Amino acid sequence: MPDYYAEKLAAERLRACYEVAPQRTLRYLEAEIAHVLGHVRAGDAVLELGCGYGRVLRRLAPAARAVVGVDTALASLALARDFVAGGGDVRLAAMDAARLGLRDGTFDLTLCIQNGLSAFHRDPSTVAREALRVTRAGGTVLFSSYAARFWEHRLAWFEAQAARGLIGEIDREATRDGVIACRDGFRAVTWDEPGFRALLEPLGLTPRFDEVDGSSLFCEIRVP
């Protein structure tokens, strides 16, 4: 299901997913951004993989020197162009996170947040290698997924999206153990600490982890 976010859940439909978010989910989203902002310095160049319609970019831009957002959904990028306008040095590009057309060591901070490794439906090892490649030595790569104890709130949010017809009907039999599945083919998994370690240890990297707000699990890598 590589093109779900490009073909079915892009632009205004994607933004609507956040508009139907329950209060607890809104708190999670805000806490995630706050944690990311704690890693941004005024002179940084920041890259966001899977930027969607610019929800996070608009918050990052005033805090950084330059911000770049990439996504495969052209409709989302078109909406992002207006959504982030006037907020700082923000650049957008249609690009696959597994094949970044960017130079080595360009960014101080590279982000793949809100469970992007699941959402992209690309080889996670390839995405990780690309994120590390475009980040300078001494820079930071941040991945995030959902904390295990946020499961009920996460499911409630996706149920709200399904009720609005933004995603397919939830497949109750397949939705369990950190996996949300819909009858239209949508499927989202969860990355936990063992999963992130298994992904990164073959690359000779030892990540550090932070659980934020009981809702996000952040995996932080300092680029050697």
Side-chain angles (χ1 to χ4, degrees), residues 66-113:
V67 176
V68 175
V70 302
D71 205 285
T72 57
L74 297 180
S76 291
L77 290 169
L79 180 58
R81 189 174 298 111
D82 294 331
F83 194 70
V84 303
D89 186 356
V90 182
R91 304 174 192 182
L92 303 166
M95 207 172 288
D96 191 323
R99 295 189 302 274
L100 294 172
L102 299 165
R103 294 179 181 176
D104 295 1
T106 301
F107 299 94
D108 301 286
L109 176 64
T110 297
L111 309 172
C112 179
I113 62 171

Side-chain angles (χ1 to χ4, degrees), residues 35-220:
H35 186 76
V36 170
L37 285 171
H39 289 75
V40 179
R41 299 167 301 183
D44 283 351
V46 181
L47 170 67
E48 185 187 9
L49 306 178
C51 67
Y53 67 90
R55 178 183 67 88
V56 177
L57 290 178
R58 188 157 79 170
R59 298 286 298 279
L60 296 179
R65 172 175 57 85
V67 176
V68 175
V70 302
D71 205 285
T72 57
L74 297 180
S76 291
L77 290 169
L79 180 58
R81 189 174 298 111
D82 294 331
F83 194 70
V84 303
D89 186 356
V90 182
R91 304 174 192 182
L92 303 166
M95 207 172 288
D96 191 323
R99 295 189 302 274
L100 294 172
L102 299 165
R103 294 179 181 176
D104 295 1
T106 301
F107 299 94
D108 301 286
L109 176 64
T110 297
L111 309 172
C112 179
I113 62 171
Q114 218 211 310
N115 210 31
L117 277 181
S118 171
F120 296 162
H121 288 268
R122 300 293 191 266
D123 174 60
S125 180
T126 303
V127 173
R129 288 177 183 274
E130 280 291 87
L132 292 161
R133 179 184 66 79
V134 300
T135 307
R136 67 167 179 80
T140 300
V141 175
L142 285 178
F143 295 103
S144 77
S145 189
Y146 296 98
R149 54 184 170 148
F150 192 64
W151 169 253
E152 291 185 6
H153 303 290
R154 176 188 177 195
L155 181 56
W157 182 26
F158 278 83
E159 287 173 336
Q161 295 174 50
R164 282 280 299 272
L166 300 169
I167 58 176
E169 178 187 357
I170 302 291
D171 184 335
R172 300 293 172 180
E173 293 184 1
T175 296
R176 61 182 183 276
D177 302 325
V179 175
I180 292 180
C182 298
R183 298 192 183 280
D184 66 350
F186 177 90
R187 188 173 186 272
V189 303
T190 306
W191 282 80
D192 57 12
E193 287 193 25
F196 279 123
R197 290 188 191 279
L199 174 68
L200 296 166
E201 284 176 357
L203 304 179
L205 299 169
T206 302
R208 60 160 290 177
F209 296 95
D210 290 294
E211 185 175 302
V212 176
D213 182 53
S215 53
S216 292
L217 176 67
F218 273 86
C219 173
E220 178 179 337

